[in-house]
Amino acid sequence: MSRLKNIFDQHRASVPLGKLLGRGGEGAVFEIVGKPDLVAKIYHPDKARERQDKIAAMVASGMQNKVSNAAFPIAPLFEGAGIFAGFTMLRIGKQKPIHQLYSPASRRNEFPDADYRLLVRTALNIAKAVAAVHAAGCVIGDLNHSGILVGADATATLIDCDSFQFSREGRTFLCAVGVPDYTPPELQGKSLENIHRTPNHDAFGLSVAIFSLLFLGRHPFSGRYLGRGDMPEERAIAEYRFAYSTEKSRTQTEPPPFAPTLSYIPREMASAFEMCFGPGGAHGCRPKAADWIALLQRAESQLVKCAAKAGHFHFSAAPNCPWCGLEKAIPGFVAFPSPLIVNTATPVDLGQLIAAIRGVADPGNAPALDSAMPVVQSAPVNQNKGALDSSAGQFLLSTACGIAAAAILRLGYVPPVIGLAALGASAYFALRSPKQLHANSPRSHQLKQAWDQVDQRYRTEGDVSRFNTARRQSEQRIREYNDLPGEEARRLADLSRRQRELQLKYFLERFSLVSATIKGVGSGRKATLRSNGIHTAADISRQRIESISGFGPATAAVLLSWRSALEQRFVFNPAQPISPGEVAQVKSDIGQRRLALETALKADLIAIRTVAAEIQRSRADLTNRARAIWVEYKQAEADEKVRVFGDVVARRWVFGVACFATFIVAGANSSGPSAATVPSNPPSRPAASVSPSVPPNVATASSSGQSNVSLSGKLAEQTTMSKLASSSVQQTSRPETLSPWPQNTAAAISAVPAVPPLDPLREIKPPHQPPAETAISDAQTGPGTAAPDPSVGRLRDLGYIGPSDVPSNTIALSALRDFKIINHLAADTRLDATTAQILRSPQAIARNRSFLGGWSTDPACTQGTQLTISTQEARTEAGACTFDAFLPNRSGWTVRGHCQVGQDRWPATISFAISGKSLSWSSAKGNAKYYRCG
């Protein structure tokens, strides 16, 4: 960006920008050349003007001097003719976003030495930082995880301070943004642009951050909802459903499985969380930052070390170690790893260092875990002998179905494909193992799952590839270090080889372009050459000259001729020694590389020792854990084999023999279809016959011109059709063209004592064609008399048909399709029983409570409609999103389709949520809020 080349401060002193450090929605952050402790935030041009007064007020009040653990603006920056561009602020050291400290997975990589004590101390330092901001007269407003950076030493720094709510000289600069997860209940769903935040609002976000630290990344309102439907996190916050509250009858929510409860923290801290996240917190009763400082300082003194795991610390009020409980309940989970005992002493000289690196024992490939398990001779428990296996009922029922399927298949009562499918399904359910997490599944399956998880961890964490990678990296550095003397000798020899070239270079550098008289190259062209880095005759080359705009081959030839004339005056002196500066430069480069490699090799020694210790510890720990599971697993297998139907091999034999015997017996006792049912002659006109499973009169009862939507009379029509079909079966005469039987078997058929039940009528879909512009369906009250369709009236009441629209077939079909989509039904125009029932229901979703219509970003719609949404597409002036499918979503609507803006087109999944007259639009591209205009 050219504008970034001319940045200066309020004293008109240039501020050179360096490397880009980060970019966001408001601007970008850059290094400042020559000032490693500062950075510059440069706003996007459209954001700078609205922040200028606020930054000036913060700088004038000296906020950075009042709060040391927050990155407030220090000085404004300008560009061009004094246009405000951004500000300078302190550069935060090696700190990372707080969410990387929350969860065990990221903490293991980003904070490998952190234990629970560091989490508590970090929470204390965050509370101190928030208290300092409040004491300085600011309100954070948008306090969330992305605005807090923490270090490995538990230090905490608040960033994005230019968005804080700040007041000066009677003017208040508001904070217009907020993250829903950290927004208090009284502000959920509200526009934050004109809301004055208070320290009580910040207290909610601070308590969420502290809770997430103490409970390993869990959110206080994320739990298991005991009521009906889903409970999104934002709704849970708005309704004060604190998942860990003791008032479960009010919140109807409980903590997630295996999560520690409030009983594991000091009682006064638990009361503080109850007060903050309960209904009373909205009235100024939430614990302030100063209150949390006192609570956390007392809590630090109550931390104790776990007796079982060296890396576990917990509060003395806890009934037991919560982290041991989590690791036991969740296979593969590690809350806090045990500290490593690693020898960090480094040898004095490099030879000893290299010997120490190569002396670290290679852990080698891990042996198979089952090879380290003991031989278990487990005798079954007597009480299990003859007992019925927990899955025997499933096996017996599936075996019975398999026997029936084999008999039906052999007797030919159904097509072979159906019979084989039924037999295969029975075999699957009879022989499959019970689900491993099922409450009644055999103990051996649960233990086998635990064994597999431990074995997977053993193969992953005990893999030697990490050690080999570290060893290869160190060997590469050792080779580079040993090659340094040879590289130095090669570079010095290259200087000797290039002695003439270097002497010529030094000779030409004595002739400056400024003082030279060159025909056709005046002062203007000389200035252009200097601006392109050409100052002396040594800098001149054809390529460099012709690459300059306005300098062609003619000018290049003139300059090259001047250089050639100077070269003819050069005399090479082989006795002249190589320039001491060139030699010193080579030795300096080699020396710097030597120091860097020595430092890297010292780090490699610690890394290799650490990796080797981790591998050995993981193998030992997991082998011990697997040994206990192995013994239980073998005992469980022995117990289950003596149960009735507990042996899987026996099940397979029983099922196979039973089905095969049934197949053989059924074939032996069957001689094929009865003679009374076999026609003596083939049908005379097979093309006119129909399947016996479908009543012939159904085809005659349906009209080829009937619409696939019959609104008011659909249910009555289906009842009438069923009666007609039933009566037609009882008729004694049939049209000859529809009968599938020959005439000589009619008597046999008429003698059948009972008529099998008819299949339900299936709706017949007409071919796709434009619907006729007529009324959709009218209930016939008499010959020539038609009454208006009540379903059309219901659609009009719900807003899907406009008050001035004439209810033609096209309009009604479109309205019905919109109604079904909005009410989470199939996206078609058929009025089945379910649709009719929902259409009559008072819970039917009206059009004005859906996403259909026109929308604007302005609540008053002063700028008119900016977004129009139908069931086919969403369109703005910039582009459109077409909808391909509607997905189930209890809290709103989710659509899948494609969006296009200009030439850019991408697949999109969009969620709509309605709250009053507002619509929330959510997709991977971001979130937006609109207000209904039509």
Side-chain angles (χ1 to χ4, degrees), residues 414-488:
V414 295
V417 175
I418 298 178
L420 289 173
L423 185 60
S426 300
Y428 169 76
F429 286 104
L431 304 180
R432 69 170 182 169
S433 297
K435 290 187 179 297
Q436 295 172 351
L437 296 181
H438 194 276
N440 297 322
S441 63
R443 176 65 174 161
S444 64
H445 292 292
Q446 299 175 358
L447 292 170
K448 182 63 167 61
Q449 180 194 35
W451 167 269
D452 291 340
Q453 291 174 343
V454 172
D455 184 51
Q456 178 62 35
R457 285 188 58 194
Y458 178 83
R459 285 185 276 110
T460 302
E461 299 178 14
D463 185 41
V464 76
S465 59
R466 291 183 297 155
F467 178 85
N468 293 336
T469 300
R471 174 64 63 82
R472 284 194 300 270
Q473 184 176 355
S474 65
E475 289 294 333
Q476 176 65 27
R477 291 196 175 104
I478 291 172
R479 286 193 295 271
E480 291 180 10
Y481 190 92
N482 292 333
D483 191 48
L484 286 179
E487 183 178 353
E488 181 178 350

Coordinates of all heavy atoms in Angstrom, one line a residue, residues 414-488:
V414 N -42.3 -64.6 -2.1 CA -41.9 -63.2 -2.4 C -40.8 -63.3 -3.5 O -40.2 -64.4 -3.7 CB -41.3 -62.5 -1.2 CG1 -42.4 -62.3 -0.2 CG2 -40.2 -63.3 -0.6
P415 N -40.5 -62.3 -4.2 CA -39.4 -62.3 -5.1 C -38.1 -62.7 -4.4 O -37.9 -62.3 -3.3 CB -39.3 -60.8 -5.7 CG -40.7 -60.3 -5.5 CD -41.2 -61.0 -4.2
P416 N -37.2 -63.3 -5.1 CA -35.9 -63.7 -4.5 C -35.1 -62.6 -3.9 O -34.5 -62.8 -2.8 CB -35.1 -64.4 -5.7 CG -36.2 -64.8 -6.6 CD -37.3 -63.8 -6.5
V417 N -35.1 -61.4 -4.5 CA -34.3 -60.3 -4.0 C -34.8 -59.9 -2.6 O -34.0 -59.7 -1.7 CB -34.4 -59.1 -4.9 CG1 -33.7 -57.9 -4.3 CG2 -33.8 -59.4 -6.3
I418 N -36.2 -59.9 -2.4 CA -36.7 -59.5 -1.1 C -36.4 -60.5 -0.1 O -36.1 -60.3 1.1 CB -38.2 -59.3 -1.3 CG1 -38.5 -58.1 -2.2 CG2 -38.9 -59.0 0.1 CD1 -40.0 -57.8 -2.5
G419 N -36.5 -61.8 -0.5 CA -36.2 -62.9 0.5 C -34.8 -62.9 0.9 O -34.5 -63.0 2.1
L420 N -33.9 -62.7 0.0 CA -32.5 -62.6 0.3 C -32.1 -61.4 1.2 O -31.3 -61.5 2.1 CB -31.6 -62.6 -1.0 CG -31.6 -63.9 -1.8 CD1 -30.8 -63.7 -3.1 CD2 -30.9 -65.0 -1.0
A421 N -32.8 -60.3 0.9 CA -32.6 -59.1 1.7 C -33.0 -59.3 3.2 O -32.4 -59.0 4.1 CB -33.3 -57.9 1.1
A422 N -34.2 -60.0 3.3 CA -34.7 -60.3 4.7 C -33.8 -61.2 5.4 O -33.5 -61.1 6.6 CB -36.1 -60.8 4.6
L423 N -33.3 -62.3 4.7 CA -32.4 -63.2 5.3 C -31.1 -62.5 5.7 O -30.5 -62.8 6.8 CB -32.1 -64.4 4.3 CG -31.3 -65.5 4.9 CD1 -32.0 -66.2 6.1 CD2 -31.0 -66.6 3.8
G424 N -30.6 -61.7 4.8 CA -29.4 -61.0 5.2 C -29.5 -60.0 6.4 O -28.6 -59.9 7.2
A425 N -30.6 -59.3 6.4 CA -30.9 -58.4 7.6 C -31.0 -59.2 8.9 O -30.5 -58.8 9.9 CB -32.2 -57.6 7.3
S426 N -31.7 -60.4 8.8 CA -31.7 -61.2 10.0 C -30.4 -61.7 10.4 O -30.0 -61.7 11.6 CB -32.7 -62.4 9.7 OG -34.0 -62.0 9.4
A427 N -29.5 -62.1 9.5 CA -28.2 -62.5 9.8 C -27.4 -61.4 10.4 O -26.6 -61.6 11.4 CB -27.5 -63.1 8.5
Y428 N -27.6 -60.2 9.9 CA -26.8 -59.1 10.5 C -27.2 -58.8 11.9 O -26.3 -58.7 12.8 CB -27.1 -57.8 9.6 CG -26.6 -56.6 10.3 CD1 -25.2 -56.2 10.2 CD2 -27.4 -55.7 10.9 CE1 -24.7 -55.1 10.8 CE2 -27.0 -54.5 11.5 CZ -25.6 -54.2 11.5 OH -25.1 -53.1 12.0
F429 N -28.4 -58.8 12.2 CA -28.9 -58.5 13.6 C -28.6 -59.7 14.5 O -28.4 -59.5 15.7 CB -30.3 -58.2 13.6 CG -30.6 -56.8 13.1 CD1 -31.2 -56.6 11.9 CD2 -30.3 -55.7 13.9 CE1 -31.4 -55.3 11.4 CE2 -30.6 -54.4 13.4 CZ -31.1 -54.2 12.1
A430 N -28.6 -60.9 14.0 CA -28.3 -62.1 14.9 C -26.9 -62.2 15.2 O -26.5 -62.6 16.3 CB -28.8 -63.3 14.2
L431 N -26.0 -61.9 14.3 CA -24.6 -62.2 14.5 C -23.7 -61.0 14.8 O -22.6 -61.1 15.2 CB -24.0 -62.8 13.2 CG -24.7 -64.1 12.7 CD1 -24.0 -64.6 11.4 CD2 -24.7 -65.1 13.8
R432 N -24.3 -59.8 14.7 CA -23.5 -58.6 15.0 C -23.2 -58.5 16.5 O -24.0 -59.0 17.4 CB -24.2 -57.3 14.6 CG -25.5 -57.0 15.4 CD -26.0 -55.6 15.1 NE -27.1 -55.3 15.9 CZ -27.7 -54.0 16.0 NH1 -27.1 -53.1 15.3 NH2 -28.7 -53.8 16.8
S433 N -22.2 -57.9 16.9 CA -21.8 -57.6 18.3 C -22.7 -56.5 18.8 O -22.9 -55.5 18.1 CB -20.3 -57.3 18.5 OG -19.6 -58.4 18.0
P434 N -23.1 -56.6 20.1 CA -23.9 -55.4 20.6 C -23.0 -54.2 20.6 O -21.8 -54.2 20.6 CB -24.1 -55.9 22.1 CG -24.0 -57.4 22.1 CD -22.9 -57.7 21.0
K435 N -23.7 -53.1 20.6 CA -23.0 -51.8 20.5 C -22.2 -51.6 21.8 O -22.6 -51.9 22.9 CB -24.0 -50.6 20.4 CG -24.7 -50.6 19.1 CD -25.5 -49.3 18.9 CE -26.2 -49.2 17.6 NZ -25.2 -49.1 16.5
Q436 N -21.0 -51.1 21.6 CA -20.0 -51.1 22.7 C -20.4 -50.2 23.8 O -20.0 -50.4 25.0 CB -18.6 -50.6 22.1 CG -18.1 -51.6 21.1 CD -16.8 -51.1 20.5 OE1 -16.5 -50.0 20.6 NE2 -16.2 -52.0 19.7
L437 N -21.2 -49.2 23.6 CA -21.6 -48.2 24.7 C -23.0 -48.5 25.1 O -23.5 -47.7 25.9 CB -21.5 -46.8 24.2 CG -20.0 -46.3 23.8 CD1 -20.0 -44.9 23.4 CD2 -19.1 -46.5 25.0
H438 N -23.6 -49.6 24.7 CA -25.0 -49.9 25.1 C -24.9 -50.3 26.6 O -24.0 -51.0 27.1 CB -25.5 -51.1 24.3 CG -27.0 -51.2 24.4 ND1 -27.6 -51.9 25.4 CD2 -28.0 -50.7 23.7 CE1 -28.9 -51.9 25.3 NE2 -29.2 -51.2 24.3
A439 N -26.0 -49.9 27.3 CA -26.0 -50.2 28.8 C -25.9 -51.7 29.1 O -25.4 -52.1 30.1 CB -27.2 -49.6 29.4
N440 N -26.5 -52.5 28.2 CA -26.6 -54.0 28.5 C -25.5 -54.7 27.7 O -25.7 -56.0 27.6 CB -28.0 -54.5 28.2 CG -29.0 -53.9 29.1 OD1 -28.7 -53.7 30.3 ND2 -30.2 -53.6 28.6
S441 N -24.6 -54.1 27.1 CA -23.6 -54.8 26.2 C -22.7 -55.6 27.1 O -22.4 -55.2 28.3 CB -22.8 -53.8 25.4 OG -22.1 -52.9 26.2
P442 N -22.1 -56.7 26.6 CA -21.2 -57.5 27.4 C -20.0 -56.7 27.9 O -19.6 -55.8 27.2 CB -20.8 -58.6 26.5 CG -21.9 -58.7 25.5 CD -22.4 -57.3 25.3
R443 N -19.6 -57.0 29.1 CA -18.4 -56.3 29.7 C -17.2 -56.4 28.8 O -16.4 -55.5 28.7 CB -18.1 -56.9 31.0 CG -16.9 -56.3 31.7 CD -17.0 -54.9 32.1 NE -15.9 -54.4 32.9 CZ -15.6 -53.1 33.0 NH1 -16.3 -52.2 32.4 NH2 -14.6 -52.8 33.7
S444 N -17.0 -57.5 28.1 CA -15.9 -57.7 27.2 C -15.8 -56.7 26.1 O -14.7 -56.2 25.7 CB -15.8 -59.1 26.6 OG -17.0 -59.3 25.8
H445 N -17.0 -56.3 25.6 CA -17.0 -55.3 24.5 C -16.5 -53.9 25.0 O -15.8 -53.2 24.4 CB -18.4 -55.2 23.9 CG -18.8 -56.4 23.1 ND1 -18.2 -56.8 22.0 CD2 -19.7 -57.3 23.4 CE1 -18.7 -57.9 21.5 NE2 -19.7 -58.3 22.4
Q446 N -17.0 -53.5 26.2 CA -16.5 -52.3 26.8 C -15.0 -52.3 27.1 O -14.3 -51.3 26.8 CB -17.3 -52.0 28.1 CG -18.8 -51.9 27.9 CD -19.5 -51.7 29.2 OE1 -18.9 -51.7 30.3 NE2 -20.9 -51.6 29.1
L447 N -14.5 -53.4 27.6 CA -13.1 -53.5 27.9 C -12.3 -53.6 26.6 O -11.2 -53.1 26.5 CB -12.8 -54.8 28.7 CG -13.4 -54.7 30.1 CD1 -13.2 -56.1 30.8 CD2 -12.6 -53.7 31.0
K448 N -12.9 -54.2 25.5 CA -12.2 -54.2 24.2 C -12.0 -52.8 23.7 O -11.0 -52.4 23.1 CB -12.9 -55.1 23.3 CG -12.3 -55.2 21.9 CD -10.9 -55.9 22.0 CE -10.4 -56.3 20.6 NZ -10.2 -55.2 19.7
Q449 N -13.1 -52.0 23.9 CA -13.0 -50.6 23.4 C -11.9 -49.9 24.2 O -11.1 -49.1 23.6 CB -14.3 -49.9 23.6 CG -14.3 -48.4 23.2 CD -15.5 -47.7 23.7 OE1 -15.9 -47.9 24.8 NE2 -15.9 -46.7 22.9
A450 N -11.9 -50.0 25.5 CA -10.8 -49.4 26.3 C -9.4 -49.9 25.9 O -8.5 -49.1 25.8 CB -11.1 -49.7 27.8
W451 N -9.3 -51.2 25.6 CA -8.0 -51.7 25.2 C -7.6 -51.1 23.8 O -6.4 -50.7 23.7 CB -8.1 -53.2 25.0 CG -7.0 -53.8 24.3 CD1 -6.9 -54.1 23.0 CD2 -5.7 -54.2 24.8 NE1 -5.6 -54.6 22.6 CE2 -4.9 -54.7 23.8 CE3 -5.2 -54.2 26.1 CZ2 -3.6 -55.2 24.0 CZ3 -3.9 -54.7 26.3 CH2 -3.1 -55.1 25.2
D452 N -8.5 -51.0 22.9 CA -8.2 -50.4 21.6 C -7.7 -49.0 21.7 O -6.8 -48.5 21.0 CB -9.4 -50.5 20.7 CG -9.7 -51.9 20.2 OD1 -8.8 -52.8 20.3 OD2 -10.9 -52.2 19.8
Q453 N -8.4 -48.2 22.6 CA -8.0 -46.8 22.8 C -6.6 -46.7 23.4 O -5.8 -45.9 23.0 CB -9.0 -46.1 23.7 CG -10.4 -45.9 23.0 CD -11.4 -45.3 23.9 OE1 -11.3 -45.4 25.1 NE2 -12.5 -44.8 23.4
V454 N -6.3 -47.5 24.4 CA -5.0 -47.5 25.0 C -3.9 -48.0 24.0 O -2.8 -47.4 23.9 CB -5.0 -48.4 26.3 CG1 -3.5 -48.5 26.8 CG2 -5.8 -47.8 27.3
D455 N -4.3 -49.0 23.2 CA -3.3 -49.5 22.2 C -3.1 -48.4 21.1 O -1.9 -48.2 20.7 CB -3.9 -50.7 21.5 CG -3.0 -51.3 20.5 OD1 -1.8 -51.6 20.9 OD2 -3.4 -51.6 19.3
Q456 N -4.1 -47.6 20.7 CA -3.9 -46.6 19.8 C -3.0 -45.5 20.3 O -2.1 -45.0 19.7 CB -5.2 -45.9 19.4 CG -5.1 -44.8 18.4 CD -4.6 -45.2 17.1 OE1 -4.8 -46.3 16.6 NE2 -3.8 -44.3 16.5
R457 N -3.2 -45.1 21.6 CA -2.3 -44.1 22.3 C -0.9 -44.7 22.4 O 0.1 -44.0 22.2 CB -2.8 -43.8 23.6 CG -4.0 -42.9 23.7 CD -4.3 -42.4 25.1 NE -3.2 -41.8 25.7 CZ -3.1 -41.5 27.0 NH1 -4.0 -41.9 27.8 NH2 -2.0 -40.9 27.5
Y458 N -0.8 -46.0 22.7 CA 0.5 -46.6 22.8 C 1.3 -46.5 21.5 O 2.5 -46.2 21.5 CB 0.4 -48.1 23.2 CG 1.7 -48.8 23.4 CD1 2.4 -48.8 24.5 CD2 2.1 -49.7 22.3 CE1 3.6 -49.5 24.6 CE2 3.3 -50.4 22.4 CZ 4.0 -50.3 23.6 OH 5.2 -51.0 23.7
R459 N 0.6 -46.8 20.4 CA 1.3 -46.8 19.1 C 1.6 -45.3 18.6 O 2.5 -45.1 17.9 CB 0.4 -47.5 18.0 CG 0.5 -49.0 18.2 CD -0.3 -49.7 17.1 NE -1.7 -49.8 17.3 CZ -2.6 -49.2 16.7 NH1 -2.3 -48.4 15.7 NH2 -3.9 -49.3 17.0
T460 N 0.8 -44.4 19.1 CA 1.0 -43.0 18.7 C 2.1 -42.3 19.6 O 3.1 -41.8 19.1 CB -0.3 -42.2 18.8 OG1 -1.3 -42.8 17.9 CG2 -0.1 -40.7 18.4
E461 N 1.8 -42.3 20.9 CA 2.7 -41.6 21.8 C 4.0 -42.4 22.0 O 5.1 -41.8 22.4 CB 2.0 -41.4 23.2 CG 0.8 -40.6 23.1 CD 0.1 -40.4 24.4 OE1 0.7 -40.8 25.4 OE2 -1.1 -40.0 24.4
G462 N 4.0 -43.7 21.9 CA 5.2 -44.5 22.0 C 6.0 -44.7 20.7 O 7.0 -45.4 20.7
D463 N 5.6 -44.0 19.6 CA 6.2 -44.1 18.3 C 7.6 -43.5 18.4 O 7.8 -42.4 19.0 CB 5.4 -43.5 17.3 CG 6.0 -43.7 15.9 OD1 6.5 -44.8 15.6 OD2 5.9 -42.8 15.1
V464 N 8.6 -44.1 17.8 CA 10.0 -43.6 17.9 C 10.2 -42.5 16.8 O 11.3 -42.0 16.7 CB 10.9 -44.7 17.7 CG1 11.0 -45.2 16.3 CG2 12.3 -44.4 18.3
S465 N 9.3 -42.2 15.9 CA 9.5 -41.3 14.8 C 9.9 -39.9 15.3 O 10.7 -39.2 14.7 CB 8.3 -41.2 13.9 OG 7.2 -40.8 14.6
R466 N 9.3 -39.5 16.4 CA 9.7 -38.1 16.9 C 11.2 -38.1 17.3 O 11.9 -37.1 17.1 CB 8.8 -37.8 18.1 CG 7.4 -37.6 17.8 CD 6.6 -37.1 19.1 NE 6.6 -38.2 20.1 CZ 6.5 -38.1 21.4 NH1 6.4 -36.9 21.9 NH2 6.5 -39.1 22.2
F467 N 11.6 -39.2 18.0 CA 13.0 -39.2 18.3 C 13.9 -39.2 17.1 O 14.9 -38.5 17.1 CB 13.3 -40.5 19.2 CG 14.7 -40.6 19.6 CD1 15.2 -40.0 20.7 CD2 15.6 -41.4 18.9 CE1 16.5 -40.2 21.1 CE2 16.9 -41.6 19.2 CZ 17.4 -41.0 20.4
N468 N 13.5 -40.0 16.1 CA 14.4 -40.1 14.9 C 14.4 -38.8 14.2 O 15.5 -38.4 13.7 CB 13.8 -41.2 14.0 CG 13.9 -42.6 14.5 OD1 14.8 -42.8 15.4 ND2 13.1 -43.5 14.1
T469 N 13.3 -38.0 14.2 CA 13.3 -36.7 13.5 C 14.2 -35.7 14.3 O 15.0 -35.0 13.6 CB 11.9 -36.1 13.5 OG1 11.0 -37.0 12.8 CG2 11.8 -34.8 12.9
A470 N 14.1 -35.7 15.6 CA 15.0 -34.9 16.4 C 16.5 -35.2 16.2 O 17.4 -34.4 16.1 CB 14.6 -34.9 17.8
R471 N 16.8 -36.6 16.1 CA 18.1 -37.0 15.9 C 18.7 -36.6 14.6 O 19.8 -36.1 14.4 CB 18.2 -38.5 16.1 CG 19.5 -39.2 15.8 CD 20.6 -38.7 16.7 NE 20.4 -39.1 18.1 CZ 20.7 -40.3 18.6 NH1 21.2 -41.2 17.8 NH2 20.5 -40.5 19.9
R472 N 17.8 -36.8 13.5 CA 18.3 -36.4 12.2 C 18.5 -34.9 12.1 O 19.5 -34.4 11.5 CB 17.2 -36.7 11.1 CG 17.2 -38.2 10.8 CD 16.4 -38.5 9.5 NE 15.0 -38.0 9.7 CZ 14.0 -38.8 10.1 NH1 14.2 -40.1 10.5 NH2 12.8 -38.3 10.2
Q473 N 17.7 -34.1 12.7 CA 17.9 -32.6 12.7 C 19.2 -32.2 13.4 O 20.0 -31.4 12.9 CB 16.7 -31.9 13.4 CG 16.8 -30.4 13.4 CD 15.5 -29.8 14.0 OE1 14.6 -30.5 14.4 NE2 15.5 -28.5 14.1
S474 N 19.5 -32.9 14.5 CA 20.8 -32.6 15.2 C 22.0 -33.0 14.4 O 23.0 -32.4 14.4 CB 20.8 -33.2 16.6 OG 20.7 -34.6 16.5
E475 N 21.9 -34.2 13.8 CA 23.0 -34.7 12.9 C 23.2 -33.7 11.8 O 24.4 -33.5 11.4 CB 22.7 -36.1 12.4 CG 22.8 -37.2 13.5 CD 24.2 -37.4 14.0 OE1 25.1 -37.1 13.3 OE2 24.3 -37.8 15.2
Q476 N 22.2 -33.2 11.2 CA 22.3 -32.2 10.1 C 23.1 -31.0 10.6 O 24.0 -30.5 10.0 CB 21.0 -31.8 9.6 CG 21.0 -30.7 8.5 CD 21.7 -31.1 7.2 OE1 21.8 -32.3 6.9 NE2 22.3 -30.2 6.5
R477 N 22.8 -30.5 11.8 CA 23.5 -29.4 12.4 C 24.9 -29.7 12.7 O 25.8 -28.9 12.6 CB 22.7 -28.9 13.6 CG 21.4 -28.2 13.3 CD 20.9 -27.4 14.5 NE 19.7 -26.7 14.2 CZ 18.5 -27.0 14.6 NH1 18.3 -28.1 15.4 NH2 17.4 -26.3 14.3
I478 N 25.2 -30.9 13.2 CA 26.5 -31.3 13.5 C 27.4 -31.3 12.2 O 28.5 -30.9 12.2 CB 26.6 -32.7 14.2 CG1 26.0 -32.6 15.6 CG2 28.0 -33.3 14.2 CD1 25.8 -34.0 16.2
R479 N 26.8 -31.8 11.1 CA 27.5 -31.8 9.9 C 27.8 -30.4 9.4 O 28.9 -30.1 8.9 CB 26.7 -32.6 8.8 CG 26.7 -34.1 8.9 CD 26.2 -34.8 7.7 NE 24.8 -34.5 7.5 CZ 23.8 -35.2 8.0 NH1 24.1 -36.3 8.7 NH2 22.6 -34.9 7.7
E480 N 26.8 -29.5 9.5 CA 27.0 -28.1 9.2 C 28.1 -27.5 10.0 O 29.0 -26.7 9.5 CB 25.7 -27.3 9.3 CG 24.6 -27.7 8.3 CD 23.4 -26.9 8.5 OE1 23.4 -25.9 9.3 OE2 22.3 -27.2 7.9
Y481 N 28.1 -27.8 11.3 CA 29.1 -27.2 12.2 C 30.5 -27.7 11.8 O 31.5 -27.0 11.7 CB 28.8 -27.6 13.6 CG 29.7 -26.8 14.6 CD1 29.3 -25.6 15.2 CD2 30.9 -27.4 15.0 CE1 30.1 -24.9 16.1 CE2 31.7 -26.7 15.9 CZ 31.3 -25.5 16.5 OH 32.1 -24.8 17.3
N482 N 30.6 -29.0 11.6 CA 31.9 -29.6 11.2 C 32.4 -29.1 9.9 O 33.6 -29.1 9.6 CB 31.9 -31.1 11.2 CG 31.7 -31.7 12.6 OD1 32.1 -31.1 13.6 ND2 31.1 -32.9 12.7
D483 N 31.5 -28.6 9.0 CA 31.9 -28.2 7.7 C 32.2 -26.7 7.6 O 32.6 -26.2 6.6 CB 30.7 -28.4 6.7 CG 31.1 -28.2 5.3 OD1 32.2 -28.8 4.8 OD2 30.4 -27.5 4.5
L484 N 32.0 -26.0 8.8 CA 32.3 -24.6 8.8 C 33.8 -24.2 8.4 O 34.0 -23.3 7.6 CB 32.0 -24.0 10.2 CG 30.5 -23.8 10.5 CD1 30.3 -23.3 11.9 CD2 29.8 -22.9 9.4
P485 N 34.8 -24.9 8.9 CA 36.1 -24.5 8.5 C 36.3 -24.7 7.0 O 37.0 -23.9 6.3 CB 37.0 -25.5 9.3 CG 36.2 -25.9 10.5 CD 34.8 -25.9 10.0
G486 N 35.8 -25.8 6.4 CA 35.9 -26.0 5.0 C 35.2 -24.9 4.2 O 35.7 -24.5 3.2
E487 N 34.0 -24.5 4.7 CA 33.3 -23.5 4.0 C 34.0 -22.1 4.0 O 34.1 -21.4 3.1 CB 31.9 -23.3 4.6 CG 31.0 -22.2 3.9 CD 29.7 -22.1 4.5 OE1 29.3 -22.9 5.3 OE2 28.9 -21.2 4.0
E488 N 34.7 -21.9 5.2 CA 35.5 -20.6 5.3 C 36.6 -20.7 4.3 O 36.9 -19.7 3.6 CB 36.0 -20.5 6.7 CG 36.8 -19.2 6.9 CD 37.3 -19.1 8.4 OE1 36.8 -19.8 9.3 OE2 38.1 -18.2 8.6

